[in-house]
Amino acid sequence: MSFLFSSSLHLLPPSNPATSFSHHLPPRIAAVSSSPAVGGVFSVAATSLSHYPHGHSRCGPLYCSSSASMSLEESTPASQLEDSLLYARAFWVSRYVIAWNVEVGSGSCYLFGSKMATLRVNDGVVEGYDVKIKLEKDRGPLPENVIKKFPHIQNYCPFTVPLGSAVEPLLKCQLAVATFNSYGQCNNITCLQLPGVLDDLFSYEGPLGAVYSKEAVSLYLWAPTAQAVQAQIYKEPVGGRPFEVIQLEELDGVWRTKGPKSWEGCYYEYEVTVYHPSTLKVEKCFSTDPYSRGVSSDGRRTLFVDLGSDDLKPEGWDKLADEKPPLHSFSDISIYELHVRDFSISDQSVHPDMRGGYMGFTLQDSDGITHLKKLSNAGISHVHLLPTFQFGGVDDDKSKWKSLDIELLEKLPPDSAEQQSLIADIQNSDGYNWGYNPILWGVPKGSYASDPNGPCRLIEFRKMVQALNQIGLRVVLDVVYNHLHGCGPFDPSSVLDKIVPGYYLRRNIDGFIENSTCVNNTASEHFMVERMIVDDILHWVVDYKVDGFRFDLMGHLMTSTMLKAKNALQILTQEKNGVDGSSIYLYGEGWDFGEVAKNGRGVNASQFNLFGTGIGSFNDRVRDAMLGGSPFGHPLQQGFVTGLLLEPNDHDHGTDKDAEFTLAVSKDHIQVAMAANLKDYVLANFEGKEVKGSEVRTYDGSSVAYASCPTETVNYVSAHDNETLFDVVSLKTPRNITVNDRCRMNHLATSIIALSQGIPFFHCGDELLRSKSMDRDSYNSGDWFNRLDFTYMTNNWGVGLPPKEKNEYNWPLIKPRLADPSFKPSKSHILAAVENFTNLLQIRYSSPLFRLKTANAIQKRVRFHNTGTSLIPGVIVMSIEDGQEGIPGLTQLDPIYSYIVVVVNARPSEISFPCPALRARTLQLHPIQLMSTDPMVKNSAYEPSTGCFMVPSRTTSVFVELRKHE
């Protein structure tokens, strides 16, 4: 792939294919322009620059280049020098230090600045500059603080900017550094990346955005590279002309102005005149405020809105902190992941005007709310909402949405390709998207509100949080700080990259935007990016009283960012801030990949780096061990729950000995997870050796365990990404087993998550046998493939072949399964799944022994049996011991049960497991399972004289020992 420049044709190196993540849209390519204009005189001593008209160049997201920077000895051939300004391979890392991996030898190095962005190279001569400063080569390495901040350039050569140089005004220019040989000929030239020097000179902790007082409204915008900034004030959310245009004044990189209180309720937009590295021109960029707290439809203009106004508060809002569901410990958390639109868009018990939005959560007797109440009463503590900030991909104006005839879709065969074809035709024009396309982090999404203009979305979002709290559920927001939907000076979705171009988005060593998260990676290692993330988190907690955050691709943020956020929350109190910040739980995806892998850009918030922080990360090890392989492996690879060895499908798993080995290893992975994935937890592995959790290895040799305490582990078997749990089970199991068997496997998987130490996490629909017709990536598959039915009539299985784009290669596997009516569960299956799920939750919350708070407590109390070389394949036996009051040793935690045994039987037949260590106990089946309508679990039994457990096939049985009271 290449980039087309408008003044002449220049081909850049082909892009590096970005690592694909299923909920992100693919990157796009757009044209970028260079500037042929010639500039005028520039004063180095100037403190501000006048602005200039922008050109008509267009810019979209830039791919990161796969080429490496030049070696120390290499110089650029004269024929390529003119193209070198397309790159930014030098780094201005602090006021007086520039890093570049070139060697000048007996030559020289100069810094060039052009106010009008007219730098060019003509026959080896640099032209079009206003400033030329000689740089001195430093013989030593880069300073330690620079290496720590920019480890990926640690071996670059430092060049010194002369003391006394007026650096601040230079940063408003097009900048380049060039080397010259001893004859004065230019042999290397490149533009500069500026985040380091901007952090050094302009790190700022004062007010940003719109600040309200009794008499006035003040605006603050951090834009140290801008040449001029205007605020255009409008009465209308769209159209019309500004009734006032204000020139902001700059002080230390912050542009500011003060206006009348009458601005409240109006809208504004910034016009920023700034050099933009993507077009190599000085541009006029039109943008909303990065710190917007309200916007018009589709975020085109920022709304002047004071969130502290009583008019924006639902009745009782200020007392909500006192009425929140109790949370005594993070160990008591269990999380239910939900998409706002999915929840009510198909719920016929909800008024059509309220379906699919915030207000769908405010009813008391809808089918969906009735179901949530059932889960809340059983023990679910937190509802995790997929992105609710202002995102791209869904128009806020509902009148522009396209839809399909549902009756037509319902008439089509279950394995037809027609449904997905019809949906693909409108998928970018309907009302559906998961929302992982951030435009503005700090504003609720307008498409979920009754009216996307004005303060409606703000009020309704608060009503949603309040309503969920009132039925016993705390609210977690899914936040996406790792990337932005747009970039460049003209993309309507671009905001931050218009305000301070080249700062907020992480770039590679050639100067092109990194796209390992799919598009436009952000750089939390930069001071003002980190500050904005922390500010945003505090805003959602204080202004919307949310209770937690799930960080998308958290590993692409720095650990320092996560800790600053956590520490900032810790100091919030109900007395001062109206919220208890210590009750806010943070967790996310700690994947380690891309340019940040192995601390490539600093210590990133990956699983192993979060040890000891108290911040949770998703445990993919237990998911893969249970289901088999990974979401990126062969779709028929079986695991512990899906029949590996015991009920083989047609996939080649090697010899029986190979499959038995894989099953035993998977069992160890699951047992480590059930002990909260603690690094130092000691257990006996399948070989009978005592090992720590960190010594149990994954397929690539890395440690399974990474946590220091139970709340650093979020155990899950399914989430919005990839196929649903029921669909995975239906795909991986042999086609000749029954739907009853598949339902029991679904139950078995959720039981392991529900009864493990650590934080259990469930995808909405795990308890409903939810299907997406085997769609592995439903982020843009519309309401049809994402339907939920809280009447329990259907699980959405067999609604057509899933969308071609992400699933076609699996259609040969999917089609016969969808066509087979025996795969489809009945209402009775769904009702049984709901009961099984709520029973598991009730069992978890029936004893604090399932929710131990410390690593030490887990090590002392949790034991695994059925280990070593004589183990029964496909069976896990876990015991949890409590102490006795007045007896030395373990303290007493549970007033009801003194001992618990969990037996997980993944085998297709009943097992009899004698355990001498558990002989002579007074164990009995848990009362909740005794009262279950599941006849199989009721057949579970324990024989005290032999310590033998009898557990039916594909069943998890919980045995308890009632405490003896005098």
Side-chain angles (χ1 to χ4, degrees):
M1 299 180 184
S2 62
F3 296 100
L4 179 63
F5 287 78
S6 61
S7 60
S8 61
L9 201 61
H10 301 289
L11 297 182
L12 267 64
S15 66
N16 226 357
T19 300
S20 172
F21 277 78
S22 60
H23 58 238
H24 297 302
L25 295 173
R28 297 163 294 149
I29 300 177
V32 233
S33 302
S34 65
S35 171
V38 178
V41 178
F42 170 66
S43 169
V44 179
T47 56
S48 64
L49 300 173
S50 58
H51 64 278
Y52 296 86
H54 74 285
H56 299 285
S57 55
R58 303 290 296 178
C59 174
L62 295 178
Y63 276 88
C64 54
S65 165
S66 61
S67 68
S69 286
M70 297 168 289
S71 68
L72 292 180
E73 293 77 22
E74 184 182 356
S75 63
T76 306
S79 61
Q80 295 181 20
L81 279 176
E82 60 184 85
D83 290 346
S84 294
L85 291 174
L86 305 175
Y87 299 85
R89 290 169 166 159
F91 297 74
W92 199 336
V93 292
S94 64
R95 177 187 281 271
Y96 296 118
V97 178
I98 290 175
W100 192 14
N101 64 336
V102 296
E103 183 58 68
V104 295
S106 59
S108 55
C109 184
Y110 285 87
L111 170 67
F112 295 90
S114 172
K115 172 187 178 183
M116 296 280 289
T118 56
L119 290 178
R120 62 188 180 275
V121 183
N122 184 17
D123 195 23
V125 177
V126 181
E127 298 176 346
Y129 58 86
D130 304 303
V131 176
K132 178 180 179 182
I133 300 174
K134 186 174 183 181
L135 305 177
E136 295 297 327
K137 169 68 171 67
D138 191 325
R139 294 183 181 275
L142 288 169
E144 283 298 322
N145 64 318
V146 171
I147 292 174
K148 183 178 180 181
K149 188 176 178 73
F150 302 107
H152 61 301
I153 61 167
Q154 59 186 293
N155 296 320
Y156 280 34
C157 301
F159 292 84
T160 302
V161 180
L163 295 176
S165 299
V167 171
E168 289 85 346
L170 264 178
L171 298 175
K172 298 178 182 297
C173 300
Q174 180 189 26
L175 295 168
V177 286
T179 59
F180 298 82
N181 62 24
S182 57
Y183 299 101
Q185 294 174 322
C186 179
N187 53 18
N188 272 323
I189 187 168
T190 188
C191 291
L192 289 106
Q193 299 187 37
L194 303 181
V197 68
L198 293 179
D199 282 353
D200 192 23
L201 298 182
F202 295 108
S203 294
Y204 170 75
E205 296 181 336
L208 288 170
V211 178
Y212 299 87
S213 65
K214 291 182 179 180
E215 304 81 20
V217 180
S218 298
L219 293 177
Y220 300 87
L221 180 71
W222 186 77
T225 61
Q227 297 180 6
V229 177
Q230 289 184 353
Q232 300 178 351
I233 318 296
Y234 296 85
K235 292 287 188 184
E236 306 86 2
V238 292
R241 297 179 63 85
F243 69 84
E244 198 168 354
V245 177
I246 306 296
Q247 299 285 343
L248 276 68
E249 296 181 354
E250 183 186 12
L251 178 63
D252 296 330
V254 178
W255 298 78
R256 58 195 75 198
T257 191
K258 180 178 285 189
K261 192 74 169 173
S262 59
W263 280 359
E264 279 198 61
C266 298
Y267 297 84
Y268 67 101
E269 182 180 42
Y270 283 126
E271 176 193 290
V272 181
T273 303
V274 65
Y275 169 74
H276 208 291
S278 69
T279 63
L280 307 181
K281 296 178 73 172
V282 175
E283 305 285 6
K284 277 189 177 178
C285 299
F286 295 87
S287 173
T288 46
D289 191 331
Y291 274 72
S292 295
R293 296 302 178 238
V295 290
S296 63
S297 181
D298 290 319
R300 294 295 178 256
R301 291 173 183 167
T302 299
L303 174 68
F304 281 105
V305 60
D306 182 0
L307 290 174
S309 170
D310 289 339
D311 294 338
L312 304 181
K313 297 177 181 178
E315 184 178 352
W317 179 252
D318 287 334
K319 297 180 180 179
L320 185 60
D322 299 323
E323 301 169 357
K324 280 186 177 288
L327 181 65
H328 302 297
S329 165
F330 284 163
S331 292
D332 293 332
I333 290 174
S334 53
I335 301 168
Y336 185 73
E337 180 196 48
L338 183 63
H339 183 250
V340 169
R341 184 173 173 88
D342 286 352
F343 176 67
S344 61
I345 194 64
S346 302
D347 192 337
Q348 299 300 305
S349 65
V350 176
H351 189 280
D353 292 343
M354 302 173 77
R355 290 178 195 161
Y358 304 128
M359 295 302 287
F361 291 92
T362 63
L363 305 176
Q364 288 299 307
D365 54 0
S366 70
D367 293 335
I369 290 298
T370 299
H371 183 74
L372 283 187
K373 287 179 179 177
K374 188 178 298 182
L375 299 186
S376 173
N377 291 336
I380 288 290
S381 65
H382 287 62
V383 165
H384 160 159
L385 299 176
L386 266 64
T388 54
F389 47 73
Q390 185 64 28
F391 59 80
V394 175
D395 201 306
D396 283 349
D397 184 350
K398 297 178 176 63
S399 68
K400 297 179 180 178
W401 293 353
K402 295 179 181 178
S403 59
L404 295 171
D405 182 350
I406 298 300
E407 291 185 2
L408 169 63
L409 294 175
E410 288 176 339
K411 293 176 182 177
L412 296 171
D415 62 338
S416 168
E418 193 169 346
Q419 294 98 325
Q420 65 85 30
S421 178
L422 292 169
I423 287 165
D425 290 341
I426 67 162
Q427 66 179 2
N428 295 321
S429 304
D430 62 359
Y432 196 90
N433 196 296
W434 279 348
Y436 292 93
N437 306 318
I439 295 175
L440 287 163
W441 290 323
V443 186
K445 174 62 176 168
S447 64
Y448 293 147
S450 303
D451 184 351
N453 294 307
C456 179
R457 66 174 81 191
L458 317 176
I459 298 169
E460 291 184 355
F461 193 98
R462 284 173 163 174
K463 287 182 176 180
M464 173 184 68
V465 173
Q466 186 179 47
L468 285 167
N469 283 179
Q470 288 172 345
I471 63 170
L473 295 168
R474 290 176 173 247
V475 177
V476 169
L477 297 189
D478 198 325
V479 287
V480 185
Y481 297 123
N482 61 81
H483 75 279
L484 290 165
H485 190 46
C487 73
F490 304 109
D491 186 339
S493 297
S494 176
V495 176
L496 292 172
D497 199 43
K498 292 177 178 177
I499 305 298
V500 191
Y503 178 82
Y504 287 96
L505 302 181
R506 185 181 290 136
R507 294 191 284 173
N508 68 5
I509 56 175
D510 288 326
F512 303 120
I513 296 168
E514 293 279 12
N515 290 300
S516 56
T517 64
C518 203
V519 292
N520 305 321
N521 296 8
T522 51
S524 79
E525 62 270 24
H526 302 162
F527 183 89
M528 294 301 289
V529 183
E530 181 173 80
R531 185 207 150 159
M532 189 174 190
I533 292 170
V534 175
D535 286 349
D536 193 64
I537 289 167
L538 292 173
H539 153 64
W540 285 106
V541 169
V542 173
D543 293 324
Y544 290 101
K545 302 186 189 301
V546 302
D547 307 288
F549 297 91
R550 177 266 191 189
F551 291 78
D552 182 65
L553 298 186
M554 177 175 62
H556 268 65
L557 305 180
M558 295 300 109
T559 299
S560 63
T561 305
M562 297 299 300
L563 289 174
K564 282 186 180 179
K566 182 183 177 184
N567 293 337
L569 290 169
Q570 289 289 326
I571 62 176
L572 297 179
T573 64
Q574 284 188 229
E575 294 73 25
K576 292 182 178 180
N577 312 102
V579 293
D580 175 12
S582 66
S583 69
I584 309 300
Y585 182 58
L586 305 180
Y587 63 102
E589 296 178 303
W591 319 139
D592 191 42
F593 69 97
E595 75 282 0
V596 300
K598 299 180 181 178
N599 301 325
R601 294 300 182 98
V603 181
N604 63 318
S606 60
Q607 289 169 329
F608 290 99
N609 287 339
L610 291 174
F611 180 86
T613 64
I615 295 167
S617 61
F618 284 100
N619 180 8
D620 51 329
R621 284 83 154 146
V622 70
R623 174 202 66 190
D624 295 347
M626 281 201 277
L627 299 180
S630 80
F632 312 105
H634 195 285
L636 295 184
Q637 173 70 50
Q638 291 178 290
F640 184 87
V641 165
T642 55
L644 178 62
L645 177 70
L646 307 172
E647 288 178 297
N649 57 21
D650 296 332
H651 181 63
D652 181 9
H653 293 88
T655 65
D656 284 351
K657 190 173 183 180
D658 293 333
E660 185 174 0
F661 174 82
T662 304
L663 181 61
V665 171
S666 298
K667 175 175 172 289
D668 280 352
H669 290 194
I670 295 169
Q671 290 177 162
V672 172
M674 295 181 78
N677 218 41
L678 299 171
K679 281 182 70 173
D680 294 329
Y681 178 80
V682 178
L683 74 164
N685 67 8
F686 71 96
E687 296 175 318
K689 299 176 182 176
E690 284 208 343
V691 293
K692 292 181 178 180
S694 59
E695 294 170 334
V696 178
R697 301 294 177 175
T698 65
Y699 67 93
D700 64 356
S702 59
S703 298
V704 166
Y706 54 78
S708 73
C709 65
T711 55
E712 288 178 2
T713 294
V714 178
N715 288 318
Y716 76 115
V717 70
S718 71
H720 64 274
D721 278 323
N722 313 121
E723 294 91 347
T724 66
L725 174 57
F726 182 81
D727 284 348
V728 170
V729 169
S730 298
L731 185 61
K732 290 179 180 289
T733 49
R735 288 176 57 186
N736 60 355
I737 70 171
T738 68
V739 68
N740 289 335
D741 296 331
R742 294 191 183 94
C743 290
R744 294 201 71 82
M745 290 177 176
N746 195 105
H747 305 339
L748 202 71
T750 54
S751 74
I752 292 172
I753 300 301
L755 301 177
S756 294
Q757 304 293 331
I759 307 294
F761 175 99
F762 305 99
H763 178 219
C764 172
D766 283 352
E767 78 288 8
L768 301 169
L769 307 176
R770 182 183 188 177
S771 173
K772 297 179 181 179
S773 213
M774 306 190 94
D775 189 352
R776 69 172 283 105
D777 186 3
S778 69
Y779 84 98
N780 203 21
S781 300
D783 299 322
W784 179 254
F785 286 100
N786 287 284
R787 280 192 304 178
L788 284 167
D789 181 3
F790 292 117
T791 68
Y792 312 139
M793 294 299 295
T794 177
N795 75 331
N796 210 43
W797 171 267
V799 296
L801 285 170
K804 179 178 181 179
E805 180 186 3
K806 299 290 180 69
N807 300 277
E808 185 179 18
Y809 55 90
N810 277 341
W811 277 4
L813 295 173
I814 294 171
K815 187 176 176 64
R817 289 165 169 79
L818 294 181
D820 187 342
S822 72
F823 273 72
K824 186 176 179 65
S826 66
K827 182 176 182 178
S828 62
H829 289 121
I830 298 170
L831 288 171
V834 172
E835 185 202 6
N836 179 277
F837 186 77
T838 53
N839 283 352
L840 289 169
L841 289 172
Q842 289 174 340
I843 290 171
R844 178 178 182 83
Y845 288 93
S846 71
S847 172
L849 297 178
F850 285 114
R851 309 184 312 280
L852 297 173
K853 298 177 183 179
T854 67
N856 186 53
I858 292 172
Q859 182 64 68
K860 288 185 175 181
R861 298 167 186 267
V862 176
R863 293 284 181 274
F864 291 97
H865 313 271
N866 188 38
T867 59
T869 55
S870 60
L871 63 83
I872 301 174
V875 177
I876 294 173
V877 181
M878 176 182 72
S879 64
I880 316 174
E881 183 178 5
D882 200 12
Q884 299 283 348
E885 189 173 346
I887 298 178
L890 293 176
T891 58
Q892 180 179 320
L893 302 177
D894 190 336
I896 300 174
Y897 304 125
S898 59
Y899 207 89
I900 296 174
V901 177
V902 176
V903 182
V904 180
N905 178 18
R907 299 176 66 85
S909 57
E910 182 183 71
I911 58 106
S912 176
F913 175 70
C915 185
L918 299 177
R919 188 182 301 156
R921 290 208 168 262
T922 56
L923 292 165
Q924 61 187 47
L925 194 63
H926 197 289
I928 290 171
Q929 291 190 322
L930 279 173
M931 294 185 292
S932 169
T933 61
D934 176 10
M936 291 187 68
V937 76
K938 288 183 176 180
N939 288 331
S940 305
Y942 164 75
E943 173 54 54
S945 62
T946 60
C948 188
F949 297 87
M950 283 76 72
V951 176
S953 65
R954 305 184 189 91
T955 297
T956 296
S957 301
V958 181
F959 298 88
V960 292
E961 183 176 72
L962 285 168
R963 190 171 294 284
K964 297 175 182 177
H965 296 283
E966 293 293 333

